[in-house]
Structures are given as structure tokens and as C-alpha cells.
Amino acid sequence: MHSVQHHGQQPRRPDLPHCCQPLSPFHNLQELRHSASLANKVFIQRDYSEGTTCRFQTKFPSELESRIERTLFEDTVKTLNNYYAEAEKIGGQSYLEGCLACSTAYLIFLCMETRYEKVLKKIAKYIQEQNEKIYAPRGLLITDPIERGMRVIEISIYEDRGSSDSSSGSSSSS
Amino acid sequence: MITRKVRKWEKLPGKNTFCCDGRVMMARQKGVFYLTLFLIVGTCSLFFAFECPYLAVHLSPAIPVFAALLFLFVIAMLLRTSFSDPGVLPRALPEEATFIEMEIEAANGNVPTGQRPPPRIRNVQINNQIVKLKYCYTCKIFRPPRASHCSICDNCVDRFDHHCPWVGNCVGKRNYRFFYMFTLSLSLLTIYIFTFDIIHVVMRKYPVSHLSNQKEQTCRRIVLVCFFTLWSVVGLTGFHTYLISLNQTTNEDIKGSWSGKNRVQNPYSHKNIIKNCCEVLCGPVYPSVLDRRGLMQEDSSVSATSAAPSSFSSSNPVSQTTKTTAPLIPNEHTPDDAKPSIAASAETSAPPKDEVPPAPKVPPLASPETDAEASIVKDKAH
């Protein structure tokens, strides 16, 4: 696999693997932090229509309209929702886990990882992958909901430091 | 400059105390918890010391063995309930709080001066039932359904049941099953000891050898403690069994949220006792969203919003600057000072600079335990 360089002026980054070479002059994860400044943050709220299980709203926020395609965003949120549904599913496996844990006075969790924790690891990997492939090239960054108490999905919107005030994304309403 | 590694639990707002470098989380008042521990350990020690030798010889050696197992289970459940995070919801960081404020302002429109703004409530529909989500002025969030703010611990807790002083902690989503197992096993242990006490006293009444006076008095004391414990603990277990079968919390029961007035029904119940019990007792074990043992970065040049794999011990630099500026609001109804200027927050650039953060550092609210207490706790912790 050879490095993917779409723009001649972007130097190859020796510290990154082939698949993560910068696709644009602006954005990969490290470039984002060093050359861009945080303009705004959008918070995707929880969707409680199906009870207290963890679900996020798939409504497309207006601040992202010019930044990313609606379908990509909705795909990300739907996949996250599916992951959380899998973690919180109450079925045969969760009963087994619960009964086994109770019979050992829950000491078994000292050596075993709960199913929820396993899914959370998968979610973290998925979010990093989405950030690298889709969001960072567009100047966006998703924060894992677990770092915000599972209340919101925080999407940070970055602006190029060199550029002047751009039209959308950094709209600060008063 | 001495850079001591500061863990996140030292900067957490709220009135909890932490032990074992953040592994243990309890409420501030622990006196009643020590009393519970003393009663259980004391009564069981007396039982093992004075009654078990006789019972093991004259009835069966399995009796003290089973009692010991049950006793260990009770202690394990008690410590698990007391020491774990009940499901505390972390407070909103300033940007999130501002975002919510903006949404509220937009929803309220223009309020004429002199008039009180409408109460901050969001309506959601769950299972064809309208549930009102209240805004918490301390934590600056709209509380999720079934969450409530505990004034003793000063935290919003998810699926808040009640604050139990006997256990020295709140009972919420994460430790409700341990609390229920504790009361259930304690009931069984009390009934067990009570039964064998009675048997022992009866057997001693028709002795072959003469019974010493002191031993008989000890037996009577055990019977007395067991008798009173029995009614309270068994009653509590029965009450919680009833709540679990209806998938309700103590908080909802006390407030009468789903009492049936105005055709209001519990939207979380599956209308099936077995399903409700299975969901509460055998549901997934939720992880703690408070990263207690993560390291806080005092001075970092790394970007704040890290989307890197969020291992639970990774630090979150933005939390350092924001936690020091998140005040404990003495008065709950102060919405006006909860709006930092949007321009200021937008200009807080991602990489925090090397300068000292402008807000004065809040001293750690959760003071580390004294050595004596920590060592006792370390013995008991598993």
C-alpha cells in the first residue's frame, strides 16, 4: 500500500501509517490540533422516546450543514445507537452473565470484562476510525459520549487559523 | 516545579469522599455505615464464638460453614454497594451548559422584564406517556428520566432510588442490585442465626451438662438483636421486592409518580413481573462514567478534545481548565450567571496555553481519608 497524497504540497508524515496519511492540506487529527482553532461545538442530545436506554437523536444539526453530508452523519449516529443497543440488550447472555456474577458475589468481574465494557471498547475504536476517515478531513472531531457522561455526542468544529471568518460553522449567535 | 500527578477524583465536584486513590467512593457521613458493619460483624462473631461449637458438635458441622459463606456474601454485597459509584452523572462542562442555555433561550422567546421566565422543563414521550425532564441548576443539565439530584451527595444520580445512610452511599442505577442482594442475604442471615439461636437455647434448656450463665446471656442478646433486625431488614427486602416487580424506584414511589392518578402509568414497566425482575437484577452492569482514576494534565500542549481511543485512564486536558471554573452554585435558582459569553467560550482555543488558568483553583472537595480510615477500608476492600 502506498501513501495516498492528493495534494502535492502536503508532506508525507513518517510517523503515521500508510492509511492515515493526510488527504488534504488541512486535516488529519494531528494537523487539526496544531493548525486549526476551535470555532464551535455542537451537542447531539439523547433520544428518550424509547425509554432510558442509550440512544442519540439523529436530527441533523444546522451548524454542520455545510461541513458534512447528512447521510454520513446519520450513519455515524445510527451505528453508535446500534452499538449501545447491543451493549444494553437484555437477553439470554445478559441473564447468564448476571446469574454467574451473582453466584460468585460479583468477584468474577475482577478478572472478567463485562459485555458493556467490551462494547465500549468497540465504540471507542469506531469513533477514532470515523474521526480519521471522515470527520477530521472536514475539520470536525467527535468526542466519545462516555467522556461526557453518556449525555451528549460532542462534535467540535475547527476553523483554519490562517483563514478569515468563514461563513458557516463558526456562527456565534448572541 | 513539583508536578504531582493529580487524579480526576480529587477535582470532582460534589460531596463525596474517595479512598484508595479514587477506587472507593462514598458519601461524607459514614458513621451509620460503621454502625451497620459493627452490628453485622459483631453479631456474627458472637454467633460463631458461642453457638457454633455447640451446634457443630451436636447437630451438624455444615451449619457454621453455611453461616460463614452467607456472612461473607453479606459483607461483599455491603461493601460493593457502599464503595461503588451509584451512577453519578457528571456535571456539564461550560460549553455544554452554554449550548443548553441557548436552546432554552430560543425556546422561551422574549420574556417581558419583570416577569419570571417559565420553568425549565422538557417533555419527552416514552411509551405513550409524557415524562417531564427537569433542569438541574447545580449540574446544569436536563436530568435524564428517572434521574434525581441527591442533596446529601450533591450529585445527579441516574435511576436514583434513595440515599441510604446505613450503607453510606446513594443507591442508584449501578449499585441497586448489590443493595437488593445485600438486604436479601442479610435477611436470610438474620433468619438463619435467629433460628439456630432459638434451637440452641431450647437444646440447652434440657441439658446433660450445666450451662454457664454467661453463655446463656450472650445467646439471649443475639436473639434480641436478631429479632429487631429481622422485622426491619425483612420488611425492607419485601418492600424492594415489590418495587422491583413493578420496576419502580423508591423515589418514584414516595413521590407517587406512577400512582395511577390522571391515568398516569409507569412507562418503564414491562407489565410482567418476571421481566421487570430480570431487567433490574440481571440487566447489564453499567460502567461508571466518572473517570475517577484518570490523570489530570496540569500543563499540556495536547489538544483538548481528544477523540483518541478513550481508555478510561487517559486524561482529558479540557477538563482541567473547565473543572476549575465550574462553581458550586449555592443558590439553585441563579440562571443569569450561568451564561459565559459565547465569544469567550468560542475563543478558548483547543490547545490550552502554558499560562495559569485565570480562575482560582478550587481546593479538592473530596479530601483523601486519613491514614487510619484508609487502612481500615483497605482491609475490607476487595
Side-chain angles (χ1 to χ4, degrees):
Chain A
M1 241 169 106
H2 52 85
S3 66
V4 180
Q5 284 189 53
H6 289 161
H7 301 268
Q9 66 268 34
Q10 191 60 14
R12 192 172 180 282
R13 295 278 304 263
D15 55 309
L16 293 178
H18 289 295
C19 54
C20 297
Q21 293 300 323
L23 296 173
S24 71
F26 183 19
H27 310 286
N28 62 6
L29 280 176
Q30 279 81 355
E31 297 277 322
L32 205 59
R33 290 166 198 159
H34 293 129
S35 68
S37 65
L38 184 62
N40 201 0
K41 285 190 186 183
V42 183
F43 297 93
I44 314 295
Q45 304 286 330
R46 282 272 292 269
D47 173 16
Y48 294 116
S49 58
E50 294 187 12
T52 48
T53 51
C54 189
R55 261 183 82 86
F56 291 96
Q57 291 178 357
T58 48
K59 192 171 75 96
F60 190 60
S62 51
E63 290 92 339
L64 297 180
E65 241 155 50
S66 61
R67 290 293 205 141
I68 189 169
E69 294 82 2
R70 182 185 287 254
T71 45
L72 285 173
F73 169 81
E74 282 178 2
D75 271 342
T76 310
V77 180
K78 281 190 184 147
T79 315
L80 284 176
N81 284 341
N82 287 338
Y83 272 124
Y84 285 118
E86 181 198 325
E88 298 191 7
K89 198 171 68 150
I90 302 173
Q93 206 196 350
S94 78
Y95 293 157
L96 266 175
E97 197 185 41
C99 291
L100 175 70
C102 184
S103 58
T104 62
Y106 297 95
L107 292 173
I108 199 165
F109 289 139
L110 291 173
C111 24
M112 196 179 88
E113 218 178 30
T114 67
R115 196 169 67 143
Y116 212 113
E117 283 167 357
K118 287 187 192 141
V119 178
L120 284 176
K121 285 200 173 151
K122 280 202 253 177
I123 289 174
K125 225 167 75 169
Y126 173 74
I127 288 182
Q128 197 202 7
E129 184 198 306
Q130 289 280 293
N131 270 332
E132 280 170 6
K133 291 201 188 136
I134 300 181
Y135 287 83
R138 291 169 171 77
L140 303 171
L141 208 63
I142 302 183
T143 307
D144 196 333
I146 195 98
E147 294 183 23
R148 296 290 176 264
M150 306 268 268
R151 279 194 314 267
V152 288
I153 303 177
E154 182 183 295
I155 302 184
S156 312
I157 303 173
Y158 287 87
E159 288 301 321
D160 214 356
R161 268 208 190 129
S163 70
S164 51
D165 267 2
S166 64
S167 50
S168 58
S170 59
S171 54
S172 330
S173 55
S174 52
Chain B
M1 189 169 69
I2 303 165
T3 43
R4 184 177 77 89
K5 286 205 173 136
V6 179
R7 296 214 185 243
K8 289 186 185 170
W9 62 264
E10 299 182 52
K11 302 283 187 215
L12 277 176
K15 295 185 196 158
N16 291 100
T17 45
F18 297 87
C19 310
C20 300
D21 202 16
R23 290 181 181 90
V24 163
M25 180 173 173
M26 289 180 77
R28 258 190 205 165
Q29 296 97 344
K30 296 183 281 293
V32 190
F33 166 69
Y34 291 135
L35 175 68
T36 310
L37 216 50
F38 170 75
L39 281 175
I40 296 176
V41 173
T43 314
C44 290
S45 325
L46 289 177
F47 177 73
F48 286 125
F50 290 102
E51 307 207 5
C52 281
Y54 181 89
L55 291 167
V57 164
H58 287 87
L59 277 182
S60 161
I63 294 172
V65 169
F66 187 70
L69 287 175
L70 202 49
F71 167 72
L72 288 174
F73 188 78
V74 167
I75 295 292
M77 289 296 106
L78 171 63
L79 295 181
R80 188 81 201 230
T81 312
S82 303
F83 293 165
S84 57
D85 171 10
V88 171
L89 295 167
R91 299 189 183 185
L93 299 175
E95 291 112 345
E96 194 187 331
T98 316
F99 185 83
I100 295 178
E101 289 280 341
M102 276 164 54
E103 279 195 336
I104 295 171
E105 299 280 303
N108 282 346
N110 269 329
V111 180
T113 46
Q115 240 184 49
R116 198 186 288 184
R120 298 181 172 190
I121 290 187
R122 247 183 215 169
N123 287 325
V124 289
Q125 194 177 49
I126 302 176
N127 278 339
N128 298 323
Q129 190 82 51
I130 300 285
V131 175
K132 291 189 191 305
L133 304 185
K134 287 197 187 150
Y135 182 78
C136 181
Y137 283 99
T138 315
C139 304
K140 309 213 193 200
I141 56 170
F142 275 99
R143 287 187 208 126
R146 311 193 96 175
S148 192
H149 191 94
C150 174
S151 47
I152 302 174
C153 302
D154 203 21
N155 287 318
C156 269
V157 178
D158 208 353
R159 203 189 184 278
F160 180 71
D161 196 84
H162 66 287
H163 181 97
C164 186
W166 297 97
V167 147
N169 204 358
C170 287
V171 177
K173 182 168 80 171
R174 291 191 73 240
N175 64 355
Y176 185 62
R177 79 190 68 196
F178 307 131
F179 176 76
Y180 180 73
M181 286 289 129
F182 165 64
T183 55
L184 185 64
S185 53
L186 186 61
S187 306
L188 292 174
L189 182 67
T190 313
I191 293 173
Y192 191 84
I193 293 183
F194 191 63
T195 313
F196 282 105
D197 254 351
I198 304 278
I199 292 177
H200 186 199
V201 168
V202 165
M203 284 175 76
R204 290 278 199 177
K205 257 194 178 288
Y206 309 100
V208 173
S209 60
H210 192 63
L211 174 68
S212 80
N213 208 14
Q214 192 220 0
K215 279 201 178 163
E216 199 178 308
Q217 278 200 358
T218 315
C219 295
R220 289 218 188 100
R221 277 193 209 113
I222 298 178
V223 171
L224 211 62
V225 171
C226 283
F227 184 74
F228 286 114
T229 314
L230 204 70
W231 288 116
S232 44
V233 177
V234 170
L236 188 66
T237 310
F239 175 63
H240 278 282
T241 311
Y242 160 77
L243 286 181
I244 288 176
S245 64
L246 294 178
N247 203 339
Q248 270 191 30
T249 64
T250 309
N251 198 27
E252 288 164 356
D253 187 71
I254 287 176
K255 288 186 182 165
S257 311
W258 318 123
S259 59
K261 280 191 297 191
N262 307 325
R263 280 176 291 138
V264 163
Q265 283 190 327
N266 187 356
Y268 313 107
S269 167
H270 299 280
K271 312 279 189 256
N272 179 346
I273 292 182
I274 311 260
K275 266 195 184 171
N276 284 339
C277 291
C278 286
E279 187 195 308
V280 176
L281 298 176
C282 300
V285 180
Y286 297 94
S288 170
V289 295
L290 284 184
D291 183 16
R292 303 196 294 274
R293 291 182 40 79
L295 290 171
M296 297 208 60
Q297 289 209 342
E298 301 289 347
D299 48 331
S300 85
S301 51
V302 180
S303 148
T305 52
S306 146
S310 57
S311 66
F312 293 120
S313 56
S314 71
S315 56
N316 191 352
V318 77
S319 61
Q320 200 272 326
T321 46
T322 51
K323 275 187 169 56
T324 54
T325 56
L328 272 184
I329 301 180
N331 177 9
E332 271 212 340
H333 303 287
T334 50
D336 294 327
D337 69 334
K339 295 183 278 185
S341 69
I342 287 88
S345 67
E347 274 165 27
T348 310
S349 55
K353 300 163 185 93
D354 288 331
E355 71 210 20
V356 176
K361 273 200 166 71
V362 177
L365 298 164
S367 51
E369 292 303 293
T370 60
D371 283 346
E373 243 177 336
S375 63
I376 296 172
V377 162
K378 273 189 177 110
D379 287 337
K380 299 274 189 268
H382 65 97

XYZ file of all heavy atoms in Angstrom, chain A residues 55-87:
282
model
N -29.635 6.165 23.531
C -29.870 6.438 22.106
C -29.634 7.909 21.889
O -29.953 8.722 22.766
C -31.343 6.153 21.752
C -31.634 4.846 21.103
C -33.108 4.810 20.775
N -33.372 5.512 19.539
C -33.294 4.961 18.341
N -32.948 3.708 18.229
N -33.552 5.661 17.258
N -29.127 8.253 20.731
C -28.912 9.661 20.426
C -29.788 10.081 19.267
O -30.122 9.298 18.396
C -27.437 9.924 20.102
C -26.549 9.785 21.307
C -25.892 8.600 21.557
C -26.412 10.829 22.206
C -25.094 8.455 22.684
C -25.622 10.701 23.327
C -24.957 9.506 23.574
N -30.155 11.372 19.279
C -31.030 11.877 18.216
C -30.289 11.893 16.893
O -29.119 12.256 16.838
C -31.485 13.298 18.565
C -32.424 13.332 19.751
C -32.826 14.743 20.109
O -32.351 15.700 19.483
N -33.676 14.884 21.102
N -30.991 11.545 15.848
C -30.356 11.539 14.530
C -30.665 12.808 13.748
O -30.328 12.936 12.585
C -30.820 10.329 13.708
O -32.244 10.261 13.794
C -30.232 9.039 14.243
N -31.273 13.768 14.451
C -31.603 15.035 13.773
C -30.319 15.741 13.372
O -29.401 15.899 14.164
C -32.414 15.906 14.731
C -33.065 17.110 14.097
C -34.017 17.775 15.081
C -33.282 18.552 16.137
N -33.142 19.976 15.856
N -30.242 16.186 12.148
C -29.022 16.790 11.616
C -28.939 18.245 12.073
O -29.806 19.047 11.750
C -29.065 16.702 10.086
C -27.775 17.079 9.432
C -26.606 16.374 9.695
C -27.720 18.120 8.520
C -25.415 16.711 9.088
C -26.532 18.457 7.895
C -25.380 17.765 8.176
N -27.910 18.606 12.842
C -27.832 19.990 13.328
C -27.474 20.968 12.217
O -26.704 20.648 11.302
C -26.713 19.924 14.379
C -25.953 18.703 14.090
C -26.798 17.771 13.301
N -28.012 22.166 12.310
C -27.844 23.130 11.224
C -26.402 23.614 11.104
O -25.952 23.981 10.027
C -28.772 24.321 11.436
O -28.601 24.814 12.750
N -25.652 23.562 12.223
C -24.276 24.077 12.147
C -23.397 23.209 11.270
O -22.346 23.640 10.806
C -23.662 24.133 13.551
C -24.247 25.197 14.456
C -25.385 24.657 15.284
O -25.975 23.629 14.893
O -25.686 25.239 16.318
N -23.797 21.954 11.054
C -22.962 21.049 10.278
C -23.370 21.001 8.816
O -22.812 20.242 8.039
C -23.041 19.628 10.860
C -22.537 19.429 12.278
C -22.693 17.971 12.672
C -21.085 19.829 12.405
N -24.360 21.824 8.458
C -24.939 21.679 7.125
C -23.923 21.831 6.019
O -23.948 21.110 5.027
C -26.057 22.716 6.933
C -27.392 22.072 6.674
C -28.544 22.955 7.081
O -28.540 24.129 6.682
O -29.435 22.480 7.794
N -23.013 22.773 6.177
C -22.065 22.991 5.079
C -20.809 22.163 5.245
O -19.916 22.213 4.422
C -21.688 24.462 5.049
O -21.083 24.779 6.270
N -20.748 21.411 6.335
C -19.495 20.743 6.652
C -19.452 19.294 6.228
O -18.417 18.772 5.864
C -19.271 20.790 8.166
C -18.968 22.156 8.676
C -17.625 22.604 8.160
N -17.027 23.573 9.000
C -15.741 23.622 9.290
N -14.934 22.730 8.810
N -15.286 24.549 10.071
N -20.586 18.642 6.392
C -20.594 17.196 6.176
C -21.946 16.795 5.609
O -22.949 17.462 5.838
C -20.309 16.450 7.498
C -20.106 14.956 7.250
C -21.428 16.653 8.512
C -19.569 14.207 8.419
N -21.914 15.714 4.831
C -23.175 15.250 4.243
C -24.077 14.653 5.316
O -23.618 14.014 6.254
C -22.894 14.172 3.168
C -22.147 14.658 1.950
C -20.660 14.713 2.201
O -20.226 14.341 3.301
O -19.925 15.171 1.331
N -25.348 14.876 5.121
C -26.333 14.411 6.110
C -26.267 12.901 6.298
O -26.337 12.391 7.411
C -27.730 14.823 5.627
C -28.855 14.456 6.564
C -30.173 14.792 5.923
N -30.367 16.233 5.903
C -31.205 16.871 6.709
N -31.925 16.207 7.567
N -31.329 18.173 6.625
N -26.114 12.182 5.183
C -26.148 10.713 5.284
C -24.976 10.181 6.094
O -25.125 9.245 6.867
C -26.112 10.069 3.891
O -25.104 10.725 3.127
C -27.441 10.193 3.204
N -23.814 10.799 5.917
C -22.656 10.328 6.685
C -22.886 10.510 8.173
O -22.599 9.630 8.990
C -21.397 11.092 6.263
C -20.791 10.708 4.920
C -19.663 11.661 4.581
C -20.286 9.294 4.948
N -23.392 11.674 8.515
C -23.655 11.958 9.924
C -24.678 10.982 10.491
O -24.483 10.408 11.567
C -24.147 13.405 10.053
C -24.694 13.737 11.408
C -23.840 14.054 12.441
C -26.065 13.719 11.652
C -24.336 14.351 13.698
C -26.559 14.017 12.898
C -25.700 14.324 13.930
N -25.755 10.790 9.754
C -26.810 9.911 10.267
C -26.310 8.484 10.398
O -26.665 7.774 11.343
C -28.035 9.963 9.338
C -28.857 11.213 9.555
C -30.043 11.293 8.615
O -30.264 10.360 7.817
O -30.759 12.306 8.681
N -25.457 8.083 9.458
C -24.883 6.738 9.552
C -24.091 6.569 10.836
O -24.189 5.548 11.527
C -23.941 6.475 8.369
C -24.696 5.900 7.201
O -25.818 5.413 7.425
O -24.169 5.946 6.077
N -23.274 7.584 11.127
C -22.447 7.503 12.339
C -23.321 7.359 13.565
O -23.098 6.478 14.407
C -21.585 8.769 12.484
O -20.921 9.021 11.267
C -20.587 8.627 13.602
N -24.326 8.233 13.679
C -25.159 8.200 14.882
C -25.936 6.893 14.963
O -26.066 6.295 16.042
C -26.106 9.420 14.913
C -26.973 9.379 16.152
C -25.323 10.704 14.896
N -26.424 6.425 13.817
C -27.203 5.164 13.857
C -26.316 3.993 14.268
O -26.739 3.115 15.026
C -27.819 4.888 12.487
C -29.055 5.696 12.223
C -29.796 5.256 10.966
C -30.969 6.200 10.757
N -31.288 6.431 9.360
N -25.082 3.986 13.763
C -24.187 2.898 14.160
C -23.910 2.951 15.648
O -23.885 1.923 16.333
C -22.866 2.983 13.384
O -23.154 3.232 12.029
C -22.057 1.711 13.516
N -23.677 4.161 16.165
C -23.448 4.286 17.608
C -24.656 3.792 18.385
O -24.523 3.067 19.379
C -23.143 5.744 17.968
C -21.741 6.241 17.631
C -21.611 7.714 17.945
C -20.689 5.468 18.412
N -25.852 4.177 17.921
C -27.064 3.720 18.603
C -27.154 2.200 18.610
O -27.550 1.593 19.609
C -28.306 4.308 17.934
C -28.521 5.772 18.295
O -27.972 6.256 19.279
N -29.297 6.472 17.496
N -26.774 1.599 17.491
C -26.818 0.135 17.436
C -25.840 -0.499 18.405
O -26.141 -1.499 19.058
C -26.510 -0.352 16.017
C -27.657 -0.086 15.065
O -28.797 0.068 15.497
N -27.375 -0.019 13.786
N -24.657 0.102 18.506
C -23.676 -0.414 19.462
C -24.221 -0.364 20.879
O -24.107 -1.319 21.645
C -22.386 0.411 19.386
C -21.386 -0.069 18.359
C -20.909 0.779 17.368
C -20.881 -1.360 18.400
C -19.979 0.366 16.440
C -19.946 -1.799 17.469
C -19.506 -0.930 16.496
O -18.575 -1.354 15.585
N -24.802 0.782 21.239
C -25.314 0.926 22.604
C -26.478 -0.028 22.852
O -26.609 -0.587 23.944
C -25.750 2.370 22.873
C -24.579 3.310 23.084
C -24.355 4.376 22.227
C -23.699 3.120 24.141
C -23.286 5.229 22.416
C -22.626 3.961 24.333
C -22.419 5.017 23.461
O -21.361 5.845 23.643
N -27.312 -0.236 21.828
C -28.425 -1.174 21.991
C -27.894 -2.576 22.234
O -28.431 -3.338 23.046
C -29.312 -1.137 20.748
N -26.814 -2.915 21.524
C -26.210 -4.230 21.723
C -25.654 -4.374 23.131
O -25.797 -5.422 23.763
C -25.085 -4.401 20.687
C -24.371 -5.723 20.742
C -23.034 -5.661 20.012
O -22.958 -4.936 18.988
O -22.095 -6.324 20.466
N -25.062 -3.300 23.640
C -24.486 -3.371 24.986
C -25.567 -3.533 26.041
O -25.371 -4.236 27.033
C -23.678 -2.103 25.268
